[in-house]
Amino acid sequence: MDRVPILKIGDVLLVSIQIDLQDQTVLALQEDLADRIVKTGARGVIIDITAVDIVDSFIGRMFATIASMSRLMDAETVVVGMRPAVAITLVELGLSLGGVRTALDLEKGMRVLGAPLPAVRPGTS
Amino acid sequence: MSDGAGKAHLPELLRSGREAVLDRWLEVVLEGVRGRITERELKAELTELYALIERAVAGGDEEAGRELRAALAEISRSRARQGFSPSETAVSVFAVKQALLEQVSATADMQAYAEFIEFSSWVDDLGLVTFETYASAREQVIADQMEQLLELSTPVVKLWDGILGVPLVGTLDSARTQVVMETLLERLVETGAQFAVIDITGVPAVDTEVAQHLLKTVMAARLMGTDCVISGVRPQIAQTIVALGIEFGDIATKASLADALAYALECSGIQVTGRTEA
């Protein structure tokens, strides 16, 4: 079974979903993430779904579950990089992801969590 | 229209009376179109049609029949686009019967009369072709206009760096909401805007359905990390919304676009100050 890698940047855990999510993968991810939050004492979780084209209600609920779970362990969750089509699907499914914060891309997500960003050389931003 | 060689009086009449029939036809049609198409143009069209009719009536010329239908279809399409009425378009075809009948009665040839009846029902068929093409051309025009209207009425504009504006004009139905939502979300990705102001000044009425559509749009934008402000809530609309018991929840609403922009600027930490006199 594929596992989604969890990367650590400073105080933040980054989960970048690059594969088709099966229900099993999602459950494994939730477990792994809970373990990592406890182990690293992370303050924030960023779920990057730039590469996700298709969502269903199960995945929609996953975001909410991860968010509540992380909040219990004092880490804030931000979902970043949602595509327009995905956003429309979730709204049509009636999932507004109440407790989840969102941002347009990874950079803005880091800013939402107040995580320090690598210095940008002038003229390249 | 293929008769025996010996008794085909009508083709002969069409040939010999070409000038007279054509002139009369032109006269009748011109009366109907009243200067919206020049006589020269019309004459060229009718002469072409007349030649095709002549060939088709003479018999044995399948090609002419097909060409005639194609030419008629082309003419009715252009008539439909120029805004002629259906009867005006159909008359251009049917008038040939009147013109020819006058010729036939002048000769008082019983055989020609008999053939004319057949000719008449054949022209009716042609008239139907004209009408069908006319109708489908008009439908096409309407469909095109609807599409244009949909695009025209859903612009997404940039109000400030990181602030988008969506001025909505006209009634919001599901199809339009879909277009608004898609356009807005696409632009969010393009511009990376943090705020979107949805202005409903131009929406004539807000009922539960419209409110539902607005909420959906705001939710979708939120999922992409953008906050929405709804502006342009007129007094009557505010009353309707309250009377219908619609809840906008924690979505910020403002009375005017200016208020909404000021709010968005404040939230983005931008301060606008007037220049002080030195």
Side-chain angles (χ1 to χ4, degrees):
Chain A
M1 188 186 64
D2 290 330
R3 278 186 121 79
V4 181
I6 300 168
L7 314 173
K8 181 172 171 295
I9 312 173
D11 269 351
V12 175
L13 293 180
L14 171 64
V15 182
S16 183
I17 297 170
Q18 313 268 351
I19 53 169
D20 281 341
L21 285 175
Q22 307 294 328
D23 292 1
Q24 279 304 315
T25 326
V26 170
L27 294 176
L29 171 63
Q30 286 177 6
E31 271 172 40
D32 290 355
L33 195 57
D35 282 350
R36 286 295 294 269
I37 293 174
V38 172
K39 237 176 252 169
T40 59
R43 307 299 305 267
V45 176
I46 293 181
I47 305 175
D48 171 40
I49 54 167
T50 315
V52 175
D53 285 323
I54 300 164
V55 288
D56 55 16
S57 51
F58 189 81
I59 294 173
R61 235 183 12 253
M62 168 193 89
F63 299 134
T65 315
I66 289 182
S68 336
M69 200 177 72
S70 313
R71 205 173 305 121
L72 283 175
M73 292 175 278
D74 196 22
E76 200 172 0
T77 308
V78 186
V79 174
V80 303
M82 191 180 292
R83 299 219 188 163
V86 172
I88 292 174
T89 314
L90 285 180
V91 171
E92 294 296 339
L93 286 172
L95 295 166
S96 53
L97 307 190
V100 187
R101 300 188 70 176
T102 48
L104 199 60
D105 52 31
L106 181 58
E107 196 181 327
K108 292 203 172 70
M110 298 281 275
R111 217 169 272 147
V112 166
L113 290 178
L117 287 167
V120 179
R121 271 172 293 134
T124 54
S125 66
Chain B
M1 288 303 293
S2 54
D3 292 319
K7 52 170 184 158
H9 292 204
L10 206 60
E12 180 53 39
L13 201 59
L14 273 172
R15 202 163 29 248
S16 62
R18 182 183 298 150
E19 287 304 314
V21 175
L22 202 52
D23 282 349
R24 181 78 184 113
W25 190 10
L26 188 61
E27 198 182 308
V28 177
V29 176
L30 264 181
E31 220 170 274
V33 299
R34 284 188 300 273
R36 273 172 295 172
I37 183 166
T38 63
E39 188 172 342
R40 270 248 306 279
E41 253 177 285
L42 197 61
K43 185 157 187 179
E45 270 179 12
L46 295 188
T47 313
E48 190 199 342
L49 284 182
Y50 192 84
L52 287 168
I53 291 178
E54 229 180 290
R55 273 169 61 197
V57 169
D61 200 344
E62 297 265 315
E63 187 61 32
R66 266 199 299 280
E67 272 179 44
L68 182 56
R69 271 154 208 272
L72 276 177
E74 187 47 48
I75 289 175
S76 28
R77 252 197 297 278
S78 74
R79 290 273 203 286
R81 287 214 190 88
Q82 287 159 352
F84 285 86
S85 80
S87 55
E88 279 164 351
T89 311
V91 157
S92 347
V93 180
F94 290 132
V96 73
K97 287 205 294 193
Q98 191 187 338
L100 187 60
L101 183 61
E102 279 164 20
Q103 280 297 305
V104 172
S105 21
T107 60
D109 180 345
M110 287 319 282
Q111 175 66 33
Y113 268 121
E115 284 173 34
F116 180 77
I117 292 169
E118 201 183 327
F119 175 77
S120 171
S121 74
W122 179 69
V123 171
D124 288 348
D125 277 351
L126 292 182
L128 280 183
V129 172
T130 320
F131 200 78
E132 225 160 79
T133 328
Y134 177 90
S136 64
R138 276 305 266 265
E139 266 160 33
Q140 187 59 45
V141 169
I142 293 171
D144 288 351
Q145 284 173 344
M146 263 177 77
E147 205 171 299
Q148 283 172 2
L149 207 62
L150 212 56
E151 280 168 18
L152 262 184
S153 55
T154 49
V156 176
V157 294
K158 185 173 164 180
L159 291 179
W160 205 277
D161 213 19
I163 303 175
L164 292 180
V166 192
L168 292 178
V169 177
T171 318
L172 270 187
D173 55 17
S174 334
R176 274 200 62 201
T177 319
Q178 194 70 21
V179 176
V180 172
M181 211 193 269
E182 275 168 24
T183 335
L184 173 61
L185 299 190
E186 294 291 341
R187 292 278 299 190
L188 286 183
V189 176
E190 271 168 40
T191 59
Q194 290 289 308
F195 271 96
V197 179
I198 301 178
D199 186 68
I200 58 168
T201 313
V203 179
V206 175
D207 55 14
T208 43
E209 202 189 339
V210 172
Q212 187 63 32
H213 288 146
L214 280 175
L215 285 177
K216 270 187 186 173
T217 310
V218 174
M219 285 305 164
R222 260 196 199 167
L223 285 179
M224 296 186 50
T226 303
D227 263 327
C228 282
V229 188
I230 294 177
S231 77
V233 185
R234 283 172 284 137
Q236 302 98 308
I237 295 215
Q239 282 184 11
T240 330
I241 290 177
V242 172
L244 287 172
I246 298 165
E247 283 288 336
F248 274 124
D250 55 347
I251 301 166
T253 52
K254 298 282 167 189
S256 71
L257 184 59
D259 291 345
L261 182 60
Y263 171 80
L265 286 174
E266 197 191 316
C267 291
S268 328
I270 300 169
Q271 215 171 19
V272 186
T273 49
R275 202 182 313 159
T276 47
E277 290 299 318

